[in-house]
Amino acid sequence: MKKILYILCSIAVLVLFFMHPAAVAIGCSAGLNLWYTAVLPSLLPFLIVSGLLIGTGLFRYLNRFYAPPLSCLLGISQEGCYAVLMGFLCGFPMGAKVTADLVREGHISADEGNYLLSFCNNVSPAFFLNYICLAKLNYQTVPWSLVAVFYAVPLLYGIFIRPLCHFQRKNGYTTKQAPLQRIHFPMLDACIMDSFATVTRLGGYIILFSILARLSALLPLGASASVLIGALLEISGGIDGIVSAASCLSPVLRTSLVCACAAFGGFSTCAQTQSVIAETPLRLRSYLTGRLAITLLTLPAVLLLQSAAPALRGCW
C-alpha cells in the first residue's frame, strides 16, 4: 500500500512539473538564489574547516574552552560538545554533519550521536536574527528575550531527554587519545571535495523543495492549508507564507508560528539531514522525533514569553 501511494504521489508531482513549467522555473530560480547567496557562502567555509579540525583531531583543543560545562550539563563526552557548538552556531544541517563526522571517525558512539542529532541541529543565530527577527518580523532592535527562548527550548529538551538515552560517556581527556595528525594536501583535498559534495547536495534539495512549495501554491486548497504546506516543505518559503498571512493573524500568533516553523526547519532540512548522515549508524527518526517535540514546545514557549513580557510588543 505504501509503495502504491509513493508511486501515485511521484506521478502526480511529475504531472505538475509538466503542466506548470513556469512555476517550476520560478521555484528553481528561488531555490538556486537562496543556495548561491546564503547557503554556499555561509556554510562551505565551516564545512571545510570543521572537516580539517575533526580529521586532525584539533577540535579537542577548542573543546577545552567550552566542553567542561556542556559535558556536565548534558552528560555527553567532550568530543560530542563540538557537535553541540556547531549545531547551535552554524545552522542546518551543520549539527548533523558534524555529528555524522564524529561518529564516522570514531570519536563518539552511534548512540551518543543519535542523542545529539535530536536537538543540536538548529537554525543559525545569524539567520534567526537577520532574516527572521529583523527582516520578516520587523523588529527595530534585536529581541534578545525571544532569541534566548528560541535556543533555550532545544537545549532544555536535550537536558530532559538525557536520562532516557543510555550510552557510555567517554571523555577524551581522561583516556588515551589518538595522536594529532598534521594537515597535508591529500587531507585538505579530501575535506574540500567532501564539503563541495555536501553543499551541492544541499543545493539540490533546496531547489527541489522550493519547486514543490511553488507547485503546492497552485493546488485548489485554502489559504491556511497552503501556508501550512509551505511551512512543512521549506523554511524560508514557509516563513514568507506565514508573514504574508499577517492580515488575518495577530502579531503574537504570527511571531509564534514563525518561530515554530524555524524550529522545525521543513522537510527540506530533513532531506538534507538524511543526506549528511547517510552511511552512518545515525537514524533520521531520532532527528524527526526531536524536531517535532522542539517545534511543539517552541510554539507555547514563545506565546508565553509574549504574554508575560508585553513590552516586547512595542518592537512590532
Side-chain angles (χ1 to χ4, degrees), residues 169-223:
R169 181 175 65 171
K170 295 181 180 180
N171 285 325
Y173 301 137
T174 59
T175 59
K176 185 177 180 180
Q177 298 181 14
L180 295 178
Q181 299 185 37
R182 295 174 57 185
I183 298 177
H184 46 80
F185 280 107
M187 178 188 294
L188 181 59
D189 288 344
C191 289
I192 291 175
M193 293 305 298
D194 179 67
S195 299
F196 267 103
T198 299
V199 81
T200 302
R201 287 198 304 269
L202 301 185
Y205 285 116
I206 291 172
I207 292 171
L208 175 62
F209 279 88
S210 294
I211 294 174
L212 293 177
R214 179 66 61 173
L215 291 175
S216 68
L218 301 176
L219 298 176
L221 303 172

Side-chain angles (χ1 to χ4, degrees), residues 48-307:
I48 296 174
V49 172
S50 178
L52 289 173
L53 289 175
I54 294 176
T56 59
L58 287 171
F59 75 97
R60 294 196 185 99
Y61 285 88
L62 295 178
N63 283 357
R64 294 180 178 179
F65 298 100
Y66 59 85
L70 274 180
S71 179
C72 180
L73 183 66
L74 296 170
I76 58 177
S77 65
Q78 299 198 18
E79 286 81 359
C81 294
Y82 180 64
V84 177
L85 178 71
M86 300 300 284
F88 275 83
L89 292 183
C90 299
F92 295 123
M94 196 64 190
K97 171 62 175 173
V98 172
T99 301
D101 288 343
L102 290 173
V103 172
R104 192 178 293 112
E105 295 292 331
H107 294 293
I108 63 175
S109 67
D111 290 335
E112 182 175 357
N114 281 310
Y115 165 69
L116 293 172
L117 193 63
S118 66
F119 72 94
C120 74
N121 200 33
N122 301 288
V123 168
S124 70
F127 181 84
F128 186 76
L129 289 173
N130 296 324
Y131 183 78
I132 296 178
C133 294
L134 301 180
K136 294 302 177 181
L137 295 179
N138 297 321
Y139 279 94
Q140 301 303 312
T141 58
V142 175
W144 292 113
S145 299
L146 182 63
V147 175
V149 168
F150 182 81
Y151 287 100
V153 170
L155 184 61
L156 291 174
Y157 174 78
I159 293 173
F160 284 120
I161 69 167
R162 177 61 182 90
L164 304 177
C165 303
H166 305 288
F167 56 85
Q168 184 178 5
R169 181 175 65 171
K170 295 181 180 180
N171 285 325
Y173 301 137
T174 59
T175 59
K176 185 177 180 180
Q177 298 181 14
L180 295 178
Q181 299 185 37
R182 295 174 57 185
I183 298 177
H184 46 80
F185 280 107
M187 178 188 294
L188 181 59
D189 288 344
C191 289
I192 291 175
M193 293 305 298
D194 179 67
S195 299
F196 267 103
T198 299
V199 81
T200 302
R201 287 198 304 269
L202 301 185
Y205 285 116
I206 291 172
I207 292 171
L208 175 62
F209 279 88
S210 294
I211 294 174
L212 293 177
R214 179 66 61 173
L215 291 175
S216 68
L218 301 176
L219 298 176
L221 303 172
S224 299
S226 297
V227 170
L228 177 61
I229 292 176
L232 290 175
L233 287 176
E234 202 270 324
I235 180 172
S236 59
I239 291 173
D240 288 341
I242 294 172
V243 172
S244 65
S247 59
C248 59
L249 295 174
S250 67
V252 171
L253 183 57
R254 179 190 65 178
T255 301
S256 302
L257 290 175
V258 165
C259 289
C261 176
F264 180 62
F267 289 121
S268 174
T269 302
C270 295
Q272 295 170 37
T273 300
Q274 175 59 38
S275 174
V276 298
I277 67 174
E279 300 179 0
T280 70
L282 298 176
R283 302 185 300 269
L284 184 64
R285 182 176 61 184
S286 301
Y287 170 79
L288 285 173
T289 302
R291 280 299 101 193
L292 290 174
I294 291 169
T295 301
L296 295 176
L297 291 172
T298 298
L299 182 62
V302 176
L303 283 172
L304 181 61
L305 170 69
Q306 295 174 96
S307 300

